[in-house]
Amino acid sequence: MAFVTEQNLTDLAAERWGSAHDPRTARLLSALVRHLHAFAREVELTEDEWMSAIDWLTATGHTCDDKRQEFILASDVLGLSTLVVQLNNRLSPGATPATVLGPFHIDGSPPAEFGHDMAEGVRGTPLYLTGRVLDTEGEPVPGAVLDVWQADAQGAYEAQLDVDEARLRAKYRARQDGAYCLRTIAPLGYTIPMDGPVGELVDRTDISPFRPAHIHFLIEEPGYARLITHLFREGADHLATDVVFGTKDALVVPFVERPAGPAPDGRESTEPYLYAEYDFVLDSGGVRGGS
Ligand code: BEZ
Ligand code: FE
């Protein structure tokens, strides 16, 4: 048997982990070993740096609980989450692109009628968002469920607050012609949580901790690929520097100012509002060229 040298160590370790019983696990672990070793060799990792990394990972673990996932946040700011989204959502041309889920989605949002105000009682500029859910042939996808959530004017999601009722989240259903309509408040940009090990690392760089103003969507209908995406406000700050690399051209929409009066849900708005229109295009599934 060969004893360990600097030269043969990587091959020995990769081979050992390649013995995992499940072939996919074997592939993942041996590749992980090779890439970790390549990293350490490339930067000539010192023992102090190795220990700092262990301390940072330990602190990251200690920051996680049932409401906060600092490892996902780390993956987000390192661009890994968006890369994994890209690799797993190579959609047909014309399909609405996917982006990161983020840590603040809550399962089981209440069902909402066409035009329902999911911001009831939360202060902000009224925003109506309308459009259709379509397939890549331009045909409506009736019944598609649009699970929608966003932050308030302070940048806080319900998941970060101690509240009992659903707040700034709801599930809408596309009508027969694919149309949906929701009322909410205009989202604002906000910073990712900066009071943990990820924030401590970001603070040591020139990286902006902001995400641009956006609303989250998770759209589902049997027979179509589940779409996890956002809509971003055109002209918003931080679009080009989104700390989690989530912004995409095709997801940026104008929010148009309208005076008080007839609103898109067929009722009257007593105050001026913003209006945005967007058609979501669902893919029928399968893996195609990259986007
Ligand atoms: C979000 O958009 O909610 C989000 C995504 C990634 C990290 C932090 C927040
Ligand atoms: Fe968000």
Side-chain angles (χ1 to χ4, degrees):
M1 109 140 225
F3 288 109
V4 170
T5 65
E6 184 182 324
Q7 285 71 30
N8 72 7
L9 174 57
T10 300
D11 285 342
L12 284 175
E15 193 184 314
R16 191 173 289 179
W17 284 100
S19 73
H21 305 160
D22 166 57
R24 177 68 181 164
T25 308
R27 174 149 191 228
L28 293 174
L29 291 177
S30 56
L32 178 66
V33 164
R34 286 195 185 282
H35 285 273
L36 281 175
H37 285 218
F39 165 74
R41 289 177 194 276
E42 181 186 323
V43 300
E44 294 268 347
L45 194 67
T46 68
E47 287 168 300
D48 282 351
E49 289 162 347
W50 174 84
M51 197 62 225
S52 297
I54 298 290
D55 288 343
W56 185 85
L57 288 166
T58 306
T60 299
H62 285 153
T63 308
C64 295
D65 57 27
D66 57 345
K67 288 207 156 169
R68 179 157 177 179
Q69 232 306 348
E70 194 78 356
F71 279 114
I72 294 184
L73 190 62
S75 163
D76 294 340
V77 300
L78 292 171
L80 180 62
S81 307
T82 293
L83 177 59
V84 173
V85 168
Q86 294 287 136
L87 295 174
N88 288 277
N89 291 273
R90 292 178 178 142
L91 303 176
S92 306
T96 301
T99 190
V100 286
L101 174 66
F104 301 126
H105 177 254
I106 298 178
D107 282 333
S109 280
E113 295 297 315
F114 190 86
H116 170 75
D117 181 5
M118 69 172 204
E120 263 168 353
V122 185
R123 289 165 72 106
T125 308
L127 165 69
Y128 286 91
L129 186 58
T130 70
R132 287 186 304 159
V133 182
L134 303 172
D135 66 16
T136 50
E137 307 295 311
E139 295 299 321
V141 183
V145 173
L146 300 97
D147 185 352
V148 189
W149 70 106
Q150 71 171 90
D152 66 17
Q154 276 68 49
Y157 284 85
E158 182 192 318
Q160 298 170 289
L161 301 170
D162 200 12
V163 292
D164 295 332
E165 299 222 318
R167 187 171 187 274
L168 287 168
R169 63 184 174 98
K171 269 186 187 172
Y172 297 82
R173 202 174 264 283
R175 288 180 162 179
Q176 257 336 94
D177 60 354
Y180 70 90
C181 175
L182 66 97
R183 185 182 151 131
T184 181
I185 51 170
L188 297 173
Y190 60 84
T191 75
I192 55 162
M194 289 292 287
D195 57 347
V198 170
E200 192 250 316
L201 216 53
V202 169
D203 271 339
R204 291 202 232 166
T205 71
D206 289 337
I207 295 171
S208 157
F210 280 90
R211 296 220 62 208
H214 62 273
I215 301 179
H216 292 257
F217 294 84
L218 191 163
I219 307 180
E220 286 183 296
E221 173 63 13
Y224 296 88
R226 186 169 82 142
L227 174 64
I228 295 173
T229 196
H230 304 353
L231 291 183
F232 296 90
R233 180 175 186 171
E234 189 180 87
D237 292 337
H238 320 295
L239 281 170
T241 56
D242 184 355
V243 64
V244 304
F245 307 94
T247 313
K248 293 183 176 177
D249 246 359
L251 302 176
V252 178
V253 288
F255 287 13
V256 180
E257 289 178 22
R258 285 198 173 169
D265 60 355
R267 289 184 279 244
E268 287 282 310
S269 178
T270 53
E271 50 186 329
Y273 60 89
L274 292 166
Y275 173 72
E277 214 178 317
Y278 192 84
D279 289 343
F280 292 98
V281 180
L282 301 186
D283 200 8
S284 45
V287 175
R288 296 174 194 87
S291 63

